[in-house]
Amino acid sequence: MPFQAPKQHNRVVTALSSAVRNGTGPLARLIRTGKLHCVFQPLGDLRTGAVFAHEALIRGPENTPLHSPEALLAMARSEHILPDFELVCVTTALRNWAAMGTQGRLFVNISADALVRGVSLCGRNRLAATLRKFGVQPRMLVLEITEHDRVTEMAPLRQAVKEAHAAGMRLALDDFGDGRSSLRLWSEARPDFVKIDKYFVHDLIAHPENLQMLRAIKGIADMFGTQLVAEGIETQDDLRTLRELDIPYGQGWLLGRPTLTAQRALQGAALEVVQDRRVAILPHPAQSSRPGILRGLQVLQAPTATPETPNDTVAHLFMHHTELHAIALLDDDRPRALINRQQFMNHYATLYFREVHGRKPCLAFANPAPRVVELDCDVEQLIGILTSQDQRYLSDGFIVTDNGRYIGLGTGDKLVRAVTEARIEAARHANPLTFLPGNIPISMHIERLLESGNRFVACYADLNHFKPFNDLYGYWRGDEMIRLAARLIVSHCNAQCDFVGHVGGDDFLVLFQSADWLQRCQGIVDEFALEARGLFDETARMAGGIHAEDRHGIQRFFPCTTLSMGAACIPPGVLRHAEEVANLAAQAKHEAKQAACGIVVLETSIDRPSRFQAVALHLPAEALAA
């Protein structure tokens, strides 16, 4: 049946409620006169750069208060015609799309209530025929469930979704994560697509915690077999990160703004990012707010008492359990106080204590404000305990709870050990001095580079004669020099494709994808040699170095601290594991330090990976630039 826009529009209005057919409100009049229209925003395939689909967005007449969709929705609510207005938007989108003769996939917004109503109006088993009358193939239509309010009646929605799927249409869930689109709706509706709310997409570099949320959402999508669409993409950095996370589709102003016509392909900045096959640098938290959860804390399973327990009973518990350092007093499994063994038994041994206090409640001899540590307590809170003026935990120990309920006792030495282990684990993720990625993120990025099949260069940077400097000037100035090296290395790298990690101490690992990596290395070496002299005193600068003891305790002269860089060029398909790359970079660094030059490059042979060619370089910056 040929497409007839006005006739279809009249049929839709006839099927709507009397509030639309007879209403005097501005929106009802717009609907009856057919003055609404749609614009179309592209959804891009982040893997190929093609336009995957378009989303239809409703608009009112230009230069009127009802032009924007927000104003239209607000007016629909005020006129009490919101479900009918949504159905009009759907039919308007279908009419405009078919009029363009475009054969691509179309997303249209519809709430759960409007979807149920629309299926009811069309009648069961007639959805496909209705769409074809509008000139749209059902398989090319995606109904995007947009919730103005949380869905409460799931049964009618499940039935409507079932009939829509049976007609060949596909379903999408809009704005997942904005507070209305819930996991339950995802599970119940089983959409083919889920659109991630722009809150989790915007400025990922500045909000690396959202990266973890995106990974979690991706895990859920993999479990349900759902395709993801990232909304609100506005910058190249965000697009690079999303592509690296293997989010298949995206939408946002960077990919294309809403227009009256369909867009054939991504262009400009978006296409540039998609076609760049280098591995993107994922945002890394400078300092985790929860660097270690102490679920591995050793807990002593100890008997407990209540505040009303007699002192004689407490004394019997201590005498029967000789290893106990304290006893917790509980009210309904929640800690109330803590009795220290030594203090209590000293009281109990005094003259006439048993006769006077033996049958009285033990609360009078307890610490009413004990240290209580939750199992999910973060390291910063625990350090606050360790450094507080109240150090009774060393003798009293502390109470361990899980969700506020008592599970056992801990001791001061176990707390110190737990904090130390958590700090060490945190440092493997982010170095506490420079906040650069530590060993675990370094290894993960090397694995990503190896899997990508791209050529890259692993550079190991190390300070020359740093120990004598640190011994002479102290750790504070030593830390300043390490931070100087970190700052210069980062400043000479391309943040979009070069990864900088802090292995520990004065050792750094840089993973270059920049084509001009050698010039960047030379710039790092030259600039560090210049700026590091500023950390020496005037006498040392004039002399060109310092006198200090070497590792054998012999006093000798050490030149001012400089930087050595060993570079291992890694071609595709030669190495398989991050450890192999790190070992080659370390070997190159060793050669650079032995050669007493700025940079040494190890060229890996594709035919025989064990063969390397060491090339010592220390060229003037102007020569490299030429």
Side-chain angles (χ1 to χ4, degrees):
M1 177 178 180
F3 174 71
Q4 300 176 11
K7 186 175 181 180
Q8 290 296 341
H9 174 73
N10 293 335
R11 286 181 180 178
V12 171
V13 173
T14 302
L16 298 181
S17 65
S18 59
V20 175
R21 288 184 278 110
N22 304 318
T24 59
L27 183 56
R29 290 197 299 270
L30 276 182
I31 292 173
R32 290 196 301 271
T33 56
K35 292 184 178 180
L36 298 176
H37 70 280
C38 280
V39 292
F40 302 94
Q41 186 175 25
L43 282 71
D45 188 324
L46 304 188
R47 297 160 296 191
T48 66
V51 170
F52 170 72
H54 286 80
E55 179 182 357
L57 303 170
I58 197 68
R59 295 290 188 269
E62 292 278 355
N63 302 318
T64 69
L66 290 180
H67 175 66
S68 72
E70 293 79 10
L72 290 169
L73 286 169
M75 186 62 69
R77 290 190 186 94
S78 67
E79 294 183 19
H80 307 290
I81 58 172
L82 184 57
D84 289 332
F85 167 69
E86 290 187 69
L87 293 179
V88 169
C89 292
V90 172
T91 58
T92 302
L94 297 177
R95 186 172 68 249
N96 291 173
W97 185 251
M100 289 191 301
T102 307
Q103 300 300 314
R105 187 175 284 104
L106 180 66
F107 281 62
V108 295
N109 295 306
I110 188 168
S111 71
D113 291 341
L115 176 59
V116 171
R117 175 164 167 73
V119 171
S120 175
L121 286 174
C122 289
R124 298 187 61 179
N125 304 320
R126 293 179 57 193
L127 286 174
T130 301
L131 288 177
R132 291 191 181 95
K133 288 179 181 179
F134 277 97
V136 176
Q137 294 297 321
R139 62 184 176 83
M140 301 305 290
L141 181 65
V142 182
L143 298 175
E144 186 174 322
I145 301 177
T146 304
E147 285 312 306
H148 311 296
D149 299 297
R150 189 175 293 277
V151 177
T152 55
E153 297 294 331
M154 285 292 181
L157 176 61
R158 280 197 299 268
Q159 183 59 34
V161 166
K162 181 179 179 181
E163 294 184 18
H165 271 142
M169 290 178 279
R170 305 180 78 181
L171 272 293
L173 182 60
D174 190 26
D175 294 332
F176 182 78
D178 74 340
R180 291 186 294 268
S181 296
S182 65
L183 274 175
R184 182 187 174 188
L185 182 58
W186 190 342
S187 177
E188 292 272 5
R190 293 300 176 98
D192 303 280
F193 303 93
V194 164
K195 300 180 82 172
I196 306 170
D197 187 70
K198 61 184 178 182
Y199 171 84
F200 297 105
V201 173
H202 177 67
D203 202 8
L204 279 168
I205 297 296
H207 301 93
E209 65 278 2
N210 284 348
L211 184 69
Q212 305 305 319
M213 290 298 300
L214 289 174
R215 283 178 169 145
I217 293 172
K218 190 172 185 301
I220 298 171
D222 291 340
M223 179 179 66
F224 284 122
T226 306
Q227 298 280 4
L228 293 177
V229 180
E231 294 187 292
I233 303 175
E234 297 181 1
T235 68
Q236 286 185 310
D237 286 339
D238 288 340
L239 180 55
R240 284 189 184 90
T241 302
L242 292 165
R243 191 202 67 182
E244 198 61 37
L245 288 175
D246 198 26
I247 304 296
Y249 306 111
Q251 185 177 4
W253 284 4
L254 182 70
L255 278 65
R257 292 176 179 252
T259 60
L260 290 171
T261 58
Q263 183 172 311
R264 294 183 178 275
L266 302 186
Q267 299 176 356
L271 190 60
E272 176 186 329
V273 172
V274 173
Q275 292 178 343
D276 185 356
R277 304 323 303 171
R278 293 176 297 183
V279 175
I281 304 300
L282 296 180
H284 180 78
Q287 188 174 21
S288 174
S289 60
R290 303 185 69 82
I293 303 300
L294 303 181
R295 286 283 168 182
L297 185 67
Q298 296 182 19
V299 176
L300 176 64
Q301 302 299 324
T304 62
T306 68
E308 293 77 26
T309 300
N311 289 311
D312 284 340
T313 303
V314 172
H316 178 74
L317 286 173
F318 277 130
M319 288 184 285
H320 184 69
H321 299 277
T322 57
E323 77 286 355
L324 277 185
H325 66 281
I327 290 177
L329 305 186
L330 309 181
D331 271 340
D332 191 25
D333 290 336
R334 299 187 179 275
R336 171 83 177 274
L338 188 69
I339 297 180
N340 176 272
R341 177 192 187 91
Q342 183 177 355
Q343 294 175 359
F344 179 84
M345 294 307 290
N346 286 343
H347 285 297
Y348 197 74
T350 58
L351 190 63
Y352 302 123
F353 183 93
R354 300 180 190 182
E355 290 79 5
V356 176
H357 301 285
R359 297 183 180 180
K360 292 181 179 179
C362 63
L363 183 61
F365 298 94
N367 174 10
R371 289 291 186 185
V372 178
V373 175
E374 270 282 325
L375 276 183
D376 63 352
C377 183
D378 65 59
V379 172
E380 298 305 322
Q381 291 175 293
L382 295 178
I383 289 178
I385 295 175
L386 294 176
T387 58
S388 67
Q389 293 183 352
D390 183 2
Q391 295 290 287
R392 282 180 293 176
Y393 77 90
L394 290 173
S395 55
D396 289 3
F398 55 91
I399 297 173
V400 183
T401 58
D402 189 1
N403 198 26
R405 296 188 177 276
Y406 171 86
I407 61 171
L409 298 177
T411 60
D413 65 318
K414 287 184 173 60
L415 180 58
V416 171
R417 181 181 302 173
V419 169
T420 303
E421 291 175 351
R423 276 300 201 187
I424 292 173
E425 179 63 20
R428 297 175 66 204
H429 291 268
N431 189 281
L433 178 61
T434 61
F435 301 145
L436 289 174
N439 292 338
I440 290 178
I442 291 172
S443 297
M444 292 173 63
H445 191 73
I446 293 175
E447 295 288 354
R448 291 170 57 217
L449 288 169
L450 292 173
E451 291 173 2
S452 72
N454 295 332
R455 179 184 177 88
F456 66 97
V457 179
C459 287
Y460 204 126
D462 189 16
L463 301 185
N464 302 314
H465 314 306
F466 175 70
K467 184 179 184 303
F469 172 89
N470 196 57
D471 291 344
L472 179 63
Y473 291 106
Y475 74 89
W476 185 88
R477 204 178 292 190
D479 287 352
E480 283 294 301
M481 184 166 283
I482 292 174
R483 282 193 287 263
L484 170 65
R487 176 174 61 81
L488 292 178
I489 292 172
V490 169
S491 68
H492 280 272
C493 290
N494 183 340
Q496 296 175 354
C497 59
D498 300 330
F499 180 95
V500 182
H502 191 170
V503 177
D506 59 334
D507 292 354
F508 298 86
L509 191 67
V510 189
L511 303 168
F512 281 109
Q513 294 180 91
S514 294
D516 59 346
W517 64 270
L518 187 56
Q519 289 92 330
R520 294 175 185 272
C521 288
Q522 192 68 59
I524 294 169
V525 169
D526 291 345
E527 195 168 342
F528 181 86
L530 181 64
E531 292 200 25
R533 293 177 66 88
L535 295 174
F536 289 81
D537 56 34
E538 181 64 26
T539 303
R541 289 197 296 270
M542 293 294 292
I546 59 176
H547 285 86
E549 290 185 353
D550 62 14
R551 297 181 185 276
H552 305 289
I554 299 174
Q555 191 82 7
R556 66 185 185 87
F557 181 79
F558 292 93
C560 289
T561 306
T562 56
L563 188 68
S564 289
M565 298 189 74
C569 300
I570 313 298
V574 174
L575 304 180
R576 295 183 179 180
H577 304 293
E579 183 180 3
E580 297 175 278
V581 175
N583 288 341
L584 290 183
Q587 180 182 341
K589 184 262 295 189
H590 177 74
E591 295 290 338
K593 291 181 76 72
Q594 291 293 317
C597 63
I599 306 167
V600 160
V601 179
L602 295 181
E603 287 287 355
T604 307
S605 169
I606 298 177
D607 298 327
R608 296 178 59 185
S610 60
R611 291 180 58 189
F612 307 99
Q613 180 183 6
V615 181
L617 299 175
H618 189 60
L619 304 179
E622 55 270 18
L624 282 171

